[in-house]
Amino acid sequence: MKKIGLIGGITWQSTQLYYQLLNTKVAETVGGSSSCECLIESVNFAEISEKQGKGDWDSLHEKMADIALRLQNAGAEVILICANTMHLSVPVIEQKIAVPVLHIAEVAGEAVKAKGCQKVLLLGTKYTMELDFYKDILKNQFQIEVLIPSKEDREVVHEVIYKELSKGIISEASKNKYLDIISKAEKEGAQGVILGCTEIPLLIQQKDCSIAVIDTTMEHACAAVKFALA
């Protein structure tokens, strides 16, 4: 079993999901009392979100790369960033380490294709929805048409992530707002929705939607276990 290195705390709410999913999947796959061999370095989300808000991406890229290097030096054989947005840092990380980074957008693209979808809604932080790093992978590598919510709806999605989900607050009112946004995209032809923030699965699941739901937290963790056990 390869050792998985996780960059966590972005936020700890989803990092605990990763830890649970990784261990559960290893146990299901290997059997017996098997669990996942992993390392976690968890950051202070307050510092991360402040730098994101200021657009200080260079500092964040260096921080992510430094953490990845420490995880590699501690024995990690693959790196997982437990957050969609911070995959912005992957090009800088890859310059600093020798082990692979399992890119969550590529994992999402594979999952979309497996579900037979060609047009999907992307939900996430405003950075994930508005910047091109994520959408370009879906479009260029997987020929997936990507929809994003209106500006007003993007603000709603972002605010719920940062003010509620990152703190473990699950609101029925916010869930209904998300479902309304998903319904609008379905009317525009979306065949699925990518939960492109690792906290959104705390709020939205497949049972809530009539279109395919791509849970990036689950898909990323499963892909990591598959890699680790290959």
Side-chain angles (χ1 to χ4, degrees):
M1 188 189 305
K2 295 183 180 69
K3 188 171 287 187
I4 300 169
L6 300 108
I7 302 178
I10 329 171
T11 66
W12 70 265
Q13 302 290 342
S14 59
T15 303
Q16 65 179 345
L17 284 179
Y18 269 93
Y19 188 70
Q20 181 180 32
L21 289 165
L22 290 170
N23 284 289
T24 300
K25 194 66 178 176
V26 168
E28 289 174 353
T29 306
V30 180
S33 55
S34 297
S35 56
C36 180
E37 294 184 22
C38 64
L39 300 162
I40 303 174
E41 180 163 336
S42 193
V43 301
N44 178 0
F45 182 63
E47 177 191 340
I48 301 297
S49 59
E50 182 181 356
K51 288 184 176 181
Q52 288 176 338
K54 292 178 178 177
D56 187 7
W57 296 107
D58 289 343
S59 174
L60 287 168
H61 296 336
E62 287 303 315
K63 185 176 185 69
M64 294 296 111
D66 287 344
I67 294 171
L69 183 59
R70 285 197 292 273
L71 288 169
Q72 175 187 273
N73 291 343
E77 296 165 273
V78 61
I79 300 297
L80 260 66
I81 305 169
C82 301
N84 283 264
T85 297
M86 288 318 303
H87 280 74
L88 263 169
S89 300
V90 169
V92 177
I93 293 172
E94 288 179 335
Q95 292 173 10
K96 208 161 192 174
I97 63 173
V99 301
V101 181
L102 193 58
H103 202 300
I104 200 166
E106 294 178 350
V107 171
E110 294 285 359
V112 170
K113 285 298 187 185
K115 290 178 183 291
C117 301
Q118 296 175 315
K119 186 175 185 178
V120 297
L121 172 68
L122 174 62
L123 297 181
T125 69
K126 63 184 178 184
Y127 315 113
T128 297
M129 292 185 287
E130 294 174 2
L131 300 176
D132 291 331
F133 75 104
Y134 205 101
K135 292 177 287 188
D136 280 353
I137 287 174
L138 296 172
K139 292 174 183 176
N140 298 334
Q141 293 188 31
F142 298 94
Q143 292 72 56
I144 296 165
E145 185 179 348
V146 182
L147 301 176
I148 62 170
S150 67
K151 188 177 190 304
E152 181 180 301
D153 285 345
R154 293 198 299 272
E155 287 298 325
V156 170
V157 173
H158 184 84
E159 288 292 303
V160 169
I161 292 167
Y162 277 75
K163 293 185 177 178
E164 297 178 17
L165 300 180
S166 68
K167 300 174 183 177
I169 299 169
I170 309 300
S171 160
E172 194 67 26
S174 294
K175 180 175 186 172
N176 289 333
K177 289 176 185 177
Y178 270 50
L179 293 176
D180 181 57
I181 292 166
I182 293 168
S183 178
K184 290 177 189 176
E186 186 176 3
K187 290 173 183 174
E188 292 181 45
Q191 301 159 309
V193 53
I194 295 176
L195 307 185
C197 168
T198 52
E199 284 80 33
I200 296 178
L202 296 167
L203 190 67
I204 300 293
Q205 290 88 42
Q206 180 62 71
K207 62 183 173 63
D208 301 311
C209 302
S210 57
I211 58 175
V213 171
I214 294 85
D215 176 343
T216 57
T217 312
M218 170 71 80
E219 298 292 348
H220 205 202
C222 289
V225 170
K226 185 177 180 181
F227 181 92
L229 297 177

